[in-house]
Amino acid sequence: MVSVGVNCLGRSFANPVVLASGPAGFGLELKPFFLRRPLGALTTKTITREPRSGNPPPRLVDAPAGALNSIGLANPGLEAFLADVLPEIRELSTVRIVSFAASDPSEAEVMAGRLGEASGVDLLEVNLSCPNVEGRPPACERGTAWEMVRAASDATSVPLLAKLAPDVSDVVEIAEGVLEAGASGLTLINAVRGLRINRDTGRPALARRWGGLSGAAILPVALAKVFQVREAFPEVPIVGTGGVTELGSLLEMLMAGADLVGLGLGVMADPEVPWKLAQELEAWLSRRDIDDCSEIIGCAHRGGLGVGETR
Amino acid sequence: MRNTKHVAQAATPEQGSLFLCWQSARLVARHRSGSYAVVELATEREIPGEPGQFLMARTECGPPLPRPLSLLWTDGNRCAFLVKDEGLLRARLAEAPRGTLCEVRGPYGLAYRKTIDPGRRYLLVGGGSGIAPLDFFARRHPELVEATVFGLRCAADAAVLPERTVLVEELGQGTAGARALDMWRPGLGIIACGPEAMYRQLAAGLPGDRGVYVALEERMGCGYGACQGCVVGTRDGPVRLCKDGPLMPLESVQW
């Protein structure tokens, strides 16, 4: 009997597959799948203090093996989320991670406090790294990230994940800062800043010029960050997110050191894929005679799967 | 987004999840003429689609984001689309040999009949691939249709729909729009699907009469209402075209 369950952050996850913040919205469109089979966790779209209508269209453009998005944290705002959306999410039987973003530490304190005391919020994720809003993301600078996380973690007893950006020179330094400030775990990585030009007009393809690159194209970037941070912090829970679209990349993310694996663009293309991957993971472990998913988590740091060298 | 700002209408278990799941589709027939082709697919499961609804489609070679294709008709396990030979997916469908496999899921979007005022008769004004949902509407709801006014670029393109009268118009000529304005009279509604220039032409030529609807288009991500990729601003607030659209009352469109 294979176990794909994961215990970390003080919670039990039915499997390591997580809906990443963004493409799946609030997960409500995927309710039929939640009713049929278990899923590790759902991360909501990022909530802000005030409602945001998001960026002007076009918000999406193709990229080789992925896409650039420029949604811009469109969301109903904290109060409408608590009143209208959270009651619906509460009905989904999974671990519920609520993602939020704040413009300064005092707002982070309010957001974490209000969300943390609401029923149905199992974990919080502070989004320090959205590439599609004005200003420099807090995750780009250790001091700013530290202040934001300290304010949020002081305001709640709910475990807090900090979602970091790939576009930094030393992700370990930022990770160290947010862990010191009170983060219980890390989500690595957000979309990578990118640009495309419309060849017919000669202008940037997205209305806001920059976008966040996601999809299979960023898998190696995400793996590198997860591997690096896992090496530096062997005990810290990590949600590895970026470019996972099929079983092979899910396995690599676990082996690189992610306890949980987030799916973003993959869900946009195929809404059923998180549930398919959870089943395929179980079948793969069974074929390999591996009893527990935890045996492969971070195995790349322990000399691999313990199988003989093939050459 | 209309009434329930940003909150998705959750699918009930009774509705099932099949419309969210990819299914294999085989290209079984194609009628090509000019830059356009009517492409007929045979699907594993029935597609209960209505005029105005679309399927998301992809092939083995991509694109990374699936593309919406508006239904030209559905009949049990068969469905058809009107595609122009541009873009990776559409060009492939317009040129690939019979028997070629692709994948589709859906249908998505609001059927036109759910958006329009049912107490009127309509002129259906279409240009380019936008003719597809209107042709479907004319077959499915003849009692609601006063006339169709369709435009394509050249005689070869127009021959892609041999059963329809299609006007031939040069870029920027506005022939179909002008014809529609000539035919319009007070009380008559208009459903338009085509380029934005056509909508502007109609808006400029009509009095502020209700009963005019236009289909909007944006690049889509998920197609099922979650990702907010196809959101456009309207006078009634942001709207997800894949779930609350694609048809919008003309008076709510922000140019």
Side-chain angles (χ1 to χ4, degrees), chain A residues 22-26 28-33 35-36 45 52-53 57-67 71 74-76 84-85 88 265 267-272 276, chain B residues 5-13 16-17 19-22 58 63-67 105 108 218-233 238 240 243:
Chain A
F26 295 114
L28 300 174
E29 280 79 11
L30 304 179
K31 198 170 180 177
F33 297 129
L35 291 170
R36 280 207 320 231
K45 252 195 101 52
R52 285 179 62 97
S53 54
R59 292 177 167 189
L60 291 169
V61 61
D62 279 327
I71 309 294
N75 81 96
D84 304 331
V85 185
E88 294 207 50
L265 194 75
V267 187
M268 207 189 272
D270 183 355
E272 198 183 6
K276 281 189 209 157
Chain B
K5 292 267 171 194
H6 292 272
V7 180
Q9 186 64 50
T12 64
S17 54
F19 74 106
L20 291 168
C21 300
W22 287 106
R58 67 180 182 188
L65 289 173
R67 292 290 191 270
R105 57 176 168 84
Y108 305 109
E218 260 318 322
R219 173 59 53 86
M220 280 185 188
C222 67
Y224 55 87
C227 80
Q228 309 250 2
C230 63
V231 168
V232 296
R240 294 166 299 181
K243 189 113 174 175

Side-chain angles (χ1 to χ4, degrees), chain A:
Chain A
M1 185 65 188
V2 173
S3 166
V4 289
V6 175
N7 291 305
C8 65
L9 296 156
R11 302 287 181 267
S12 291
F13 300 83
N15 53 58
V17 183
V18 174
L19 293 179
S21 180
F26 295 114
L28 300 174
E29 280 79 11
L30 304 179
K31 198 170 180 177
F33 297 129
F34 279 109
L35 291 170
R36 280 207 320 231
R37 282 183 262 153
L39 192 75
L42 152 75
T43 318
T44 67
K45 252 195 101 52
T46 296
I47 305 300
T48 52
R49 182 86 184 80
E50 301 299 330
R52 285 179 62 97
S53 54
N55 292 333
R59 292 177 167 189
L60 291 169
V61 61
D62 279 327
L68 285 182
N69 86 81
S70 170
I71 309 294
L73 298 186
N75 81 96
L78 177 64
E79 299 307 328
F81 171 77
L82 290 170
D84 304 331
V85 185
L86 189 55
E88 294 207 50
I89 298 176
R90 227 178 269 144
E91 291 173 20
L92 305 177
S93 69
T94 186
V95 174
R96 291 158 294 244
I97 308 172
V98 175
S99 168
F100 70 95
S103 53
D104 57 50
S106 66
E107 199 174 85
E109 185 184 340
V110 173
M111 299 285 296
R114 292 293 311 281
L115 291 167
E117 68 190 12
S119 149
V121 178
D122 300 313
L123 294 170
L124 290 172
E125 179 177 279
V126 58
N127 182 355
L128 301 171
S129 46
C130 178
N132 294 321
V133 293
E134 53 289 345
R136 203 161 166 240
C140 290
E141 205 270 317
R142 180 182 167 133
T144 320
W146 187 95
E147 284 173 24
M148 207 69 102
V149 171
R150 172 50 63 89
S153 64
D154 277 356
T156 181
S157 57
V158 174
L160 179 71
L161 289 158
K163 187 164 185 177
L164 302 186
D167 309 298
V168 295
S169 52
D170 185 359
V171 73
V172 172
E173 186 204 344
I174 309 286
E176 187 181 56
V178 298
L179 291 170
E180 186 190 292
S184 308
L186 303 166
T187 304
L188 300 164
I189 55 178
N190 213 317
V192 180
R193 197 183 207 209
L195 177 80
R196 292 222 78 183
I197 303 289
N198 179 327
R199 293 162 204 171
D200 294 328
T201 64
R203 293 192 294 267
L206 294 170
R208 233 185 127 264
R209 302 188 298 167
W210 316 110
L213 175 63
S214 53
I218 69 167
L219 176 71
V221 180
L223 287 171
K225 303 291 180 194
V226 168
F227 190 94
Q228 230 182 323
V229 172
R230 169 58 68 226
E231 195 164 49
F233 307 101
E235 305 301 325
V236 170
I238 296 175
V239 186
T241 300
V244 175
T245 54
E246 38 79 54
L247 179 66
S249 44
L250 175 84
L251 290 170
E252 285 192 57
M253 194 60 91
L254 291 168
M255 292 171 178
D259 301 278
L260 300 165
V261 179
L263 302 190
L265 194 75
V267 187
M268 207 189 272
D270 183 355
E272 198 183 6
V273 81
W275 286 269
K276 281 189 209 157
L277 292 193
Q279 281 192 321
E280 288 175 17
L281 172 65
E282 192 169 342
W284 186 89
L285 292 168
S286 174
R287 277 202 306 278
R288 300 291 297 242
D289 279 329
I290 298 172
D291 296 334
D292 198 305
C293 184
S294 62
E295 291 177 38
I296 67 167
I297 293 175
C299 73
H301 300 269
R302 303 188 299 266
L305 284 170
V307 294
E309 291 293 326
T310 52
R311 59 186 172 119

Side-chain angles (χ1 to χ4, degrees), chain B residues 15 44 52 62 97 115 141 165 181 184 189 193 196 205 208 219 227 254:
Chain B
Q15 283 174 306
E44 294 167 27
T115 304
H141 306 294
T165 303
L181 288 171
W184 184 83
C193 187
E196 188 178 312
R219 173 59 53 86
C227 80
Q254 284 177 321

